Each structure stands twice: as structure tokens, then as C-alpha cells.
Amino acid sequence: MMLSKTSEYALRSLIYLAAQPSGRPVLSREIADYIGGSAPCVTKVLRCLAKRGILYSVKGKGGGYMLRPGADALNIIDVIEIAEGHPLEIRCILGHDCKNAIPCPLHPQWEAIKDREIGFLRGQTVGAISRAMFWVDAVTSAVQC
């Protein structure tokens, strides 16, 4: 599955924010630096997530973005759908309309692959990914001399 830059930035930003201390706003510039995205694009995504109720946007000195309670329980599909503004649709690999027509020759195999992928993505939460990523980062940096 290929993610749009919007979905990728949203997912990576939320994972980073989930690793931050509670109550500490993070500047969009810091998030952009960490995820390797352009600051204007990341800021646009963060504003969208705030508008959709996933983040708090704190204005002024000491401001930035913070996760709203419960946002770390979002799974990857949730994040993609929120970022894109519509339900995720994984289409036929050959571009056919397999639901309303005669299915393509790859349809049974593609459906099985698609179902496994959707199941996997639904099982991966922002919080769990963040804990896994940043725990490894914390252990690695603590061990370095």
C-alpha cells in the first residue's frame, strides 16, 4: 500500500507526538525536522488534524501541537481516513470494478491479500508504534558512548 504524503506526514507526526511528555506542546518545525518533511506541508497536515479533533493547537509563546486524549489509540487506517478526509478504498489491482462487474482474474487472491493488509493496519495503533520506536531509540542512545 502506498501512502500519500498527507497520510505519511499525519501518521509520522502523531507517532512523534505520542512519544512527547503529556502537556508539552511541540512546534510544527520540530515535528517537520524529526519526520524529514517540509515545514509548510507538515504544518498544513497538523492544522488539518487539529481541525478534525485529533490534536490540540496551542497558540502563542510555548505553543505548538499536542495529542488529544485517546488519539494514541487510533490505528493506521483511522489516521489515513482522518488525514485524507474519506474512507480508505483499496481498489482492484488491475483497475477493474470487481464489485459491480465480473471480477478480474486476480480478484480472489487480491481480496485475501487486501483483507490481511487491512487487518494488520487496524491492529497497529499510534501509541504502540510510538512506544516501540521511541523505546528502541531511548535504549540505543543510552548505550552509546
Side-chain angles (χ1 to χ4, degrees):
M1 164 187 268
M2 300 275 300
L3 293 181
S4 69
K5 279 294 182 192
T6 299
S7 291
E8 180 185 334
Y9 287 172
L11 182 60
R12 294 177 71 200
S13 296
L14 292 174
I15 291 167
Y16 181 70
L17 287 168
Q20 304 310 307
S22 181
R24 176 188 170 263
V26 181
L27 294 172
S28 59
R29 180 177 56 251
E30 178 184 336
I31 297 166
D33 287 346
Y34 181 79
I35 69 171
S38 75
C41 291
V42 171
T43 300
K44 182 178 177 182
V45 169
L46 294 170
R47 285 184 184 146
C48 171
L49 293 173
K51 184 177 171 182
R52 295 192 173 134
I54 306 306
L55 300 176
Y56 288 119
S57 175
V58 180
K59 306 284 185 208
K61 185 175 176 151
Y65 294 91
M66 298 183 300
L67 286 183
R68 286 188 179 259
D72 61 339
L74 293 170
N75 64 50
I76 295 174
I77 299 289
D78 294 334
V79 173
I80 293 169
E81 291 179 345
I82 290 165
E84 299 297 333
H86 57 80
L88 179 67
E89 182 182 352
I90 301 176
R91 299 181 186 163
C92 170
I93 196 166
L94 297 178
H96 288 98
D97 184 10
C98 292
K99 290 184 182 192
N100 297 323
I102 298 171
C104 74
L106 302 178
H107 187 77
Q109 295 89 349
W110 179 241
E111 279 295 305
I113 292 168
K114 184 173 76 170
D115 290 346
R116 280 196 312 273
E117 181 177 22
I118 294 291
F120 171 76
L121 296 174
R122 285 208 188 283
Q124 308 304 312
T125 66
V126 167
I129 298 167
S130 181
R131 285 187 297 278
M133 284 180 65
F134 289 94
W135 182 80
V136 170
D137 288 350
V139 170
T140 304
S141 64
V143 173
Q144 292 177 354
C145 298

